[in-house]
Amino acid sequence: MERTLVLLKPSTVQRALIGEIISRFEKKGLRIAGMKMMQLTDELLDDHYSHLLGKPFFPALKASMMKTPVVAMCLEGVDAIAVVRYITGYTNGRKADPGTIRGDYCMSNQQNIVHASDSPEAAVVELARFFRPEELYDLYDLNLDRLYAIDEWQ
Ligand code: UDP
Ligand code: MG
């Protein structure tokens, strides 16, 4: 099992799409191991988007991420990091494939509905940045045999 960080960005909150986007992940079969609403700060975004520091769009990106609180989620499943990136789609909503979350719900390269960790290393760092260990809940009975073949998750 893997865990990954998803943020429902202010574009999702402002457009009243929180329930719809959570539902996409839930229906896919990803387990919600933790979830909370939080207001992001300048300092946290400097860390979270440190790979983009110096890009011309960096100040606008940070401002867009602080417009409203976000919903932070820890999603869990087999290959969850890659699966969540795949169903999230390309960064730019105008180029993202139909059927992906960004492809179905946005027109923007910046206001693109969700953040999703892009590698196992990033997932570990990002989950620790957004959640305290006690805010993540261990596997409860999700009837895993309905989601996976036994050799896929054991
Ligand atoms: N972004 C932007 N302009 C760009 C590229 C990225 O505003 O030209 C924003 C966008 O919101 C994106 C975030 O910066 O989701 C992080 O960029 P990254 O390249 O990590 O894309 P992601 O992993 O979110 O697909
Ligand atoms: Mg990224």
Side-chain angles (χ1 to χ4, degrees):
M1 290 284 163
E2 282 181 355
R3 284 178 168 178
T4 189
L5 177 80
V6 166
L7 301 177
L8 307 187
K9 295 185 176 186
S11 44
T12 302
V13 176
Q14 286 178 301
R15 292 175 54 204
L17 290 172
I18 293 173
E20 206 152 320
I21 304 302
I22 291 173
S23 173
R24 299 273 292 235
F25 291 119
E26 221 181 3
K27 285 180 191 156
K28 175 69 176 166
L30 291 149
R31 191 182 76 89
I32 301 169
M35 182 161 70
K36 62 180 171 182
M37 205 163 200
M38 58 193 286
Q39 176 63 48
L40 304 188
T41 62
D42 226 42
E43 301 73 50
L44 186 145
L45 284 163
D46 280 344
D47 288 342
H48 181 65
Y49 283 135
S50 59
H51 62 294
L52 300 172
L53 206 83
K55 296 273 187 195
F57 59 83
F58 190 69
L61 170 61
K62 285 210 310 187
S64 79
M65 291 296 289
M66 292 190 284
K67 253 188 177 165
T68 69
V70 301
V71 177
M73 305 172 72
C74 171
L75 297 179
E76 186 175 74
V78 173
D79 300 331
I81 298 157
V83 168
V84 168
R85 287 290 291 191
Y86 191 49
I87 65 179
T88 289
Y90 293 120
T91 304
N92 185 338
R94 295 189 299 279
K95 295 180 181 159
D97 292 324
T100 63
I101 289 171
R102 286 168 170 169
D104 285 352
Y105 289 97
C106 71
M107 285 290 285
S108 175
N109 194 23
Q110 184 165 89
Q111 322 282 81
N112 57 4
I113 304 291
V114 295
H115 164 83
S117 304
D118 65 5
S119 67
E121 297 73 27
V124 168
V125 171
E126 292 180 355
L127 284 171
R129 180 177 295 132
F130 284 87
F131 288 97
R132 295 193 301 273
E134 65 270 24
E135 292 177 318
L136 300 179
Y137 294 89
D138 280 334
L139 200 66
Y140 45 83
D141 181 11
L142 226 200
N143 295 317
L144 285 174
D145 57 329
R146 293 182 200 170
L147 288 171
Y148 303 105
I150 196 157
D151 63 343
E152 287 178 300
W153 62 272
Q154 269 194 338

